[in-house]
Amino acid sequence: MLKFRDFPCRKTLLAIAFAGCAGLSLVSLPARADNLQDSQRFLKQGQHAQALEQVDKYLAGKPKDAQGRFLKGLILTEMGKTNDAIVIFTKLTEDYPELPEPYNNLAVIYAQQKQYDKAKQALEMAIRTHPSYATAHENLGDIYARLASQAYDKALQLDKGNASAQSKLAMIRDIMSTSGTTGRPGARPVVTKPAAAVAPVAEAKQAETRPIAAPEVKPAATVPVAAVAPVATPVAPATPVAEAKPAPEAKIAVEARPAATGGDANAEITKAVSAWAAAWSKKDVKGYLSHYAKDFKTPGGESRSAWEAERQKRIAKPGAIQVSFDNLRITLDGADRATARFRQHYKSASLKTSSNKVLEMVKRDGKWLIQQEKIGT
Amino acid sequence: MIKALRSRLLIVVFAACAASAFAAGTARYTDSGPEPLLAGVFEQIEANKWEAALRQTEDLLTAYPNFRLGNLIKGDLLLARSKPLKTFGEGASGGQQDKVADLREEAVARLKAYKSKPTADYVPRYLLQMERDQKFAIVVDTQKARLYVYQNDKGTPRFVADYYISHGKLGSEKLKEGDKKTPIGVYHVTSSLPRQKLTDFYGSGAFPINYPNEWDKRHGRNGHGIWLHGTPSDTFSRPPKASDGCVVLANQDLDALSKNLQIGLTPVIISNSIEWLSLDDWQAERQSLLSMIDEWRRDWESRDTDRYARHYSAKFQADSQGLQAWIEQKRKVNAGKSWIKVATGDISMFRNPGKEEYVVVTFDQDYKSSNLSNQMKKRQYWIKEDGRWKIIYEGAA
């Protein structure tokens, strides 16, 4: 049960660390980022000392820079200087509490040190900042599984001491060995734009469709997690996501608007959101995509076609998808702009999540379309 | 999926806890062990309060770090967050299913006992009368995996405490050496073996009991070394059926119990399943036997050997004497006396649990006669034959 071979964090670590190298869209690349890019390249090549030297040069000019510090944390982790890495990631969580990644990486290091309770706390913080942060959920599930395993060992008097030590080493190698191979298009450019609302959207996308490396480790997005992370508590702990109704039957609470035209618009938007969720549930990619406006702002800033291809690929994956929502609140902004906020329940063969979603909608040719999709709070 | 886990856990645990004879009435709780916390954990699970259940499990493990059952439940509660559970102890690896089954039995036993504490107006049938100096009596229920402590309140047993226990791997009704069974019968503690003289396996101490007793020997039962003892230092408790025949308590429970044990005196009655009597029924049964003992005493004083002989079973056996030899010897002795005075004092009466209906009666006998006087502690085994109490064994205690 406790196999480290697919410890999910590496995806996050690497996705963020190498987004730049892979020539992906760095939204706000620092003016002089040569040192940073060099550092990333050195890290990728396993030349840790040089990587550290370059990132230190970079940080000399921008000591507060989140991306640089995050990269330094990664380098130190790979160099085995875990205590230094912990200091860096901890400080990042203090300076950028809204970023889930430093928490996540802290958790990974704590998990390596078998400090599972600390790892759990860190992941809970990551989830508190981003309730639908899939990697954190997945890692948390892993931590729970490991805590469970410890408890079982105590219960059944098993001595797995040596086996655990080995798997710990395996995990470190894992982070190293896959360097640069998993940078995925559309990965969150969180570090380059720490405070941007774009980041959570990217995460949301991932949360919905993230490929699960280790199918036997289901993400912990089921009921108990909701109770763990106060921010996530809108999911009623006693209501398993499994019981979420399919979209057409979803309960919709439409906020009454004072605007005279509100009634019609509200009904139209409600219908549009229901249709969007229904198309998604039916894996009707064409129908699903038709709900997005031409000028839809893709979450990672990628091209519309790249985004569509990505969505197509993920939605078309085998297995049923169920998307439903409740607590819909609509805010109209004039006659053809509106914001729809709701609680989205997503369930696939491999994942269940509930998250707060915000759709910025525009009316085009009599049809309400999604212009931007965000994770709300 | 969560529901599935809950129902499994609950089916496993609570199904066995159907209303007991003691569901109503005033229970007096000692609640010194882990049962209240354990029951709390299951209540939270039942209420779908997973976080609270886990928190209370942590509390339980803080109080009892080596409580394996607690660790198993913790494992389940944690695992339930990352995958749906189908069964109790789901995360245990394949080869451990027997251990999981043991822990499930322990959970059932502990919760059952917790939910069905004896009430003040019922007493174990076996404690018909405790002698004056016996401050406490121990009654074990192997099926419930429970040991009950009764205090001698001027002859009436009063419930004091109860503890989870383990007994023989292969159950009870010990017959022979090495059968890994716990004897059923009326015994007493014979000595105290301190921790220092024992290996860690026996925990904080041991109290041997007098198995095989006269009755056991008479029925050809053998074996030895049946003890009440503690648990190894890394183990809070063992499964309900775990020992080679001993009665095993958690160390803290053994320590508490040992304060009440009087060497050579404290009765240890081990039953398959305790029969409980209302105080009224208990009083009636007690009186009927007491009056029979007194009749025996008076008939002996009468020197009418035939009247005296009525109190003895055809199956009577004392040392190597059968009934005939015993009566003939009495007849001879009585013939040479002009008077006999017999006084019985400080009678204790303990009924044998289980199939063999006999009562172990022990008393101070003060015998005076025209040509001989003697004082002794006497032990008799009384059985019921055709609705009448009769003596089947008699000798010095």
Side-chain angles (χ1 to χ4, degrees):
Chain A
M1 181 180 57
L2 252 191
K3 287 174 188 150
F4 281 69
R5 58 168 196 264
D6 286 312
F7 199 70
C9 79
R10 70 181 151 78
K11 287 183 301 221
T12 310
L13 286 169
L14 295 168
I16 292 164
F18 299 108
C21 316
L24 300 175
S25 53
L26 278 181
V27 178
S28 61
L29 198 64
R32 297 281 302 165
D34 295 352
N35 295 124
L36 192 66
Q37 289 181 1
D38 288 347
S39 175
Q40 285 166 336
R41 201 181 60 245
F42 282 128
L43 175 61
K44 189 176 161 187
Q45 292 162 354
Q47 293 170 277
H48 299 140
Q50 291 93 327
L52 187 61
E53 195 186 321
Q54 291 302 316
V55 82
D56 277 339
K57 274 186 194 158
Y58 174 80
L59 284 171
K62 308 181 75 168
K64 285 274 164 201
D65 183 77
Q67 189 185 12
R69 288 158 67 190
F70 191 88
L71 182 60
K72 184 170 179 178
L74 282 177
I75 295 166
L76 290 169
T77 305
E78 304 225 339
M79 292 173 88
K81 297 183 175 177
T82 42
N83 287 337
D84 295 339
I86 287 175
V87 170
I88 290 201
F89 287 128
T90 305
K91 196 73 188 15
L92 273 172
T93 64
E94 289 161 6
D95 294 347
Y96 300 94
E98 72 281 5
L99 285 186
E101 282 78 6
Y103 285 118
N104 182 75
N105 288 4
L106 263 182
V108 173
I109 295 172
Y110 286 138
Q112 284 173 3
Q113 298 179 337
K114 293 198 213 170
Q115 299 194 63
Y116 297 130
D117 282 318
K118 275 191 174 175
K120 176 168 155 270
Q121 279 170 20
L123 288 169
E124 283 166 0
M125 286 306 295
I127 290 167
R128 188 169 305 191
T129 57
H130 290 79
S132 62
Y133 183 23
T135 305
H137 279 298
E138 200 175 330
N139 282 345
L140 189 58
D142 202 69
I143 294 296
Y144 284 137
R146 241 167 280 187
L147 283 166
S149 175
Q150 278 188 333
Y152 286 127
D153 289 353
K154 278 187 202 163
L156 305 170
Q157 276 201 306
L158 305 176
D159 186 8
K160 284 194 190 159
N162 290 335
S164 298
Q166 278 167 8
S167 54
K168 171 184 156 193
L169 292 173
M171 185 184 79
I172 293 170
R173 273 198 305 275
D174 233 11
I175 292 174
M176 297 279 300
S177 64
T178 51
S179 289
T181 59
T182 53
R184 208 172 44 239
R188 307 175 283 290
V190 175
V191 176
T192 50
K193 271 186 85 178
V198 172
V201 178
E203 281 147 24
K205 290 278 170 263
Q206 253 211 330
E208 290 148 8
T209 55
R210 166 190 52 88
I212 292 184
E216 73 276 14
V217 181
K218 297 241 173 70
T222 49
V223 177
V225 170
V228 173
V231 174
T233 44
V235 193
T239 311
V241 177
E243 292 179 358
K245 289 177 186 160
E249 298 163 38
K251 268 190 241 162
I252 297 159
V254 179
E255 200 176 284
R257 302 300 304 166
T261 55
D264 285 351
N266 278 331
E268 287 166 13
I269 291 166
T270 303
K271 212 172 134 192
V273 174
S274 298
W276 165 80
W280 193 357
S281 294
K282 280 188 285 184
K283 305 177 76 165
D284 169 8
V285 178
K286 198 159 166 261
Y288 168 83
L289 291 174
S290 76
H291 288 279
Y292 290 84
K294 282 209 169 53
D295 57 347
F296 171 68
K297 292 178 191 156
T298 55
E302 65 267 50
S303 72
R304 172 67 179 241
S305 57
W307 174 78
E308 284 198 355
E310 180 75 11
R311 296 305 295 153
Q312 160 103 42
K313 200 173 101 201
R314 292 188 170 173
I315 292 173
K317 275 200 341 178
I321 297 176
Q322 205 178 74
V323 183
S324 64
F325 63 93
D326 57 26
N327 198 22
L328 174 64
R329 285 148 294 142
I330 296 166
T331 312
L332 292 174
D333 177 15
D336 57 0
R337 299 197 69 82
T339 306
R341 296 166 203 274
F342 51 89
R343 187 85 189 150
Q344 173 182 300
H345 305 292
Y346 174 89
K347 184 189 168 199
S348 73
S350 55
L351 180 73
K352 282 185 193 173
T353 58
S354 286
S355 54
N356 290 324
K357 179 130 307 172
V358 180
L359 297 181
E360 298 293 352
M361 304 189 74
V362 289
K363 196 172 183 180
R364 300 273 158 80
D365 301 327
K367 199 181 168 195
W368 285 97
L369 300 170
I370 300 163
Q371 195 180 42
Q372 199 175 356
E373 187 172 344
K374 295 188 282 197
I375 291 295
T377 49
Chain B
M1 66 167 81
I2 297 298
K3 274 190 174 167
L5 165 71
R6 183 188 60 176
S7 58
R8 292 289 174 162
L9 284 174
L10 294 176
I11 285 165
V12 162
V13 176
F14 288 116
C17 302
S20 79
F22 307 104
T26 1
R28 288 167 304 156
Y29 295 88
T30 47
D31 286 0
S32 53
E35 283 83 5
L37 283 167
L38 189 64
V41 167
F42 279 96
E43 274 163 33
Q44 298 294 356
I45 292 170
E46 190 176 26
N48 256 335
K49 293 179 181 165
W50 299 86
E51 196 58 27
L54 186 59
R55 229 172 20 241
Q56 291 192 15
T57 307
E58 303 275 10
D59 292 346
L60 179 66
L61 289 171
T62 304
Y64 308 100
N66 296 322
F67 187 25
R68 300 212 183 122
L69 172 60
N71 278 303
L72 189 77
I73 293 169
K74 181 180 170 184
D76 275 358
L77 286 171
L78 287 164
L79 198 64
R81 293 164 170 235
S82 56
K83 63 179 260 190
L85 296 194
K86 291 183 214 70
T87 183
F88 187 78
E90 165 112 358
S93 48
Q96 304 296 326
Q97 290 316 311
D98 47 342
K99 287 185 182 174
V100 171
D102 282 347
L103 291 173
R104 182 172 53 222
E105 274 184 37
E106 179 173 346
V108 171
R110 285 184 180 276
L111 290 175
K112 241 167 130 177
Y114 177 70
K115 307 261 170 188
S116 61
K117 292 261 181 181
T119 56
D121 48 353
Y122 275 78
V123 293
R125 184 178 194 178
Y126 321 121
L127 300 178
L128 280 173
Q129 179 147 317
M130 293 161 76
E131 83 185 59
R132 197 180 44 232
D133 291 341
Q134 286 170 331
K135 292 181 183 145
F136 295 92
I138 307 298
V139 184
V140 171
D141 187 319
T142 57
Q143 285 175 9
K144 278 208 173 79
R146 210 76 188 166
L147 179 151
Y148 299 85
V149 183
Y150 279 82
Q151 186 165 23
N152 183 0
D153 181 10
K154 298 188 186 92
T156 304
R158 302 278 182 215
F159 173 71
V160 177
D162 62 319
Y163 306 107
Y164 170 84
I165 53 116
S166 310
H167 73 283
K169 278 188 196 82
L170 298 181
S172 61
E173 299 180 357
K174 186 174 190 63
L175 291 176
K176 57 181 194 293
E177 173 116 39
D179 63 6
K180 299 192 189 304
K181 290 181 177 178
T182 299
I184 296 296
V186 178
Y187 305 98
H188 60 265
V189 293
T190 57
S191 58
S192 169
L193 304 174
R195 179 191 281 273
Q196 300 86 298
K197 291 193 174 174
L198 300 165
T199 64
D200 182 56
F201 180 77
Y202 298 100
S204 63
F207 296 89
I209 62 172
N210 64 323
Y211 174 86
N213 61 21
E214 294 94 341
W215 182 270
D216 295 319
K217 285 177 192 155
R218 191 182 158 139
H219 288 81
R221 296 169 196 164
N222 57 32
H224 66 280
I226 302 299
W227 298 356
L228 309 182
H229 65 78
T231 52
S233 47
D234 68 346
T235 304
F236 174 71
S237 58
R238 293 167 63 188
K241 290 168 95 171
S243 77
D244 287 344
C246 292
V247 172
V248 183
L249 292 97
N251 289 326
Q252 60 176 52
D253 295 343
L254 188 81
D255 290 343
L257 182 68
S258 65
K259 296 191 186 86
N260 299 334
L261 293 180
Q262 297 164 284
I263 304 309
L265 203 55
T266 303
V268 177
I269 301 174
I270 307 175
S271 73
N272 279 323
S273 176
I274 296 175
E275 292 174 83
W276 302 86
L277 286 185
S278 71
L279 277 173
D280 288 347
D281 289 346
W282 169 79
Q283 194 65 260
E285 189 157 301
R286 186 169 164 262
Q287 282 307 332
S288 89
L289 185 56
L290 275 175
S291 62
M292 196 52 70
I293 292 167
D294 203 53
E295 208 176 299
W296 162 82
R297 184 191 62 79
R298 281 186 276 112
D299 287 343
W300 191 5
E301 284 183 337
S302 78
R303 289 177 289 133
D304 180 340
T305 307
D306 290 336
R307 285 176 65 93
Y308 171 82
R310 293 183 302 149
H311 296 285
Y312 289 83
S313 161
K315 288 179 267 175
F316 176 83
Q317 193 94 41
D319 299 326
S320 53
Q321 279 185 316
L323 178 65
Q324 284 311 111
W326 175 267
I327 295 301
E328 284 319 307
Q329 195 202 348
K330 282 287 169 204
R331 205 183 291 281
K332 220 187 291 173
V333 170
N334 286 346
K337 294 180 189 295
S338 53
W339 59 270
I340 298 175
K341 283 282 176 201
V342 182
T344 54
D346 203 11
I347 300 177
S348 73
M349 305 186 294
F350 299 107
R351 190 187 177 95
N352 185 60
K355 288 170 267 183
E356 298 154 332
E357 281 203 42
Y358 68 90
V359 178
V360 182
V361 177
T362 311
F363 52 87
D364 294 331
Q365 177 180 290
D366 188 358
Y367 176 89
K368 291 190 178 71
S369 70
S370 50
N371 55 6
L372 180 81
S373 292
N374 109 332
Q375 292 181 340
M376 68 183 296
K377 198 164 193 77
K378 179 162 267 185
R379 178 157 298 147
Q380 295 175 326
Y381 283 54
W382 290 72
I383 61 159
K384 220 160 193 184
E385 272 182 4
D386 304 327
R388 219 186 115 88
W389 287 106
K390 290 194 174 177
I391 300 163
I392 196 163
Y393 164 85
E394 184 169 328

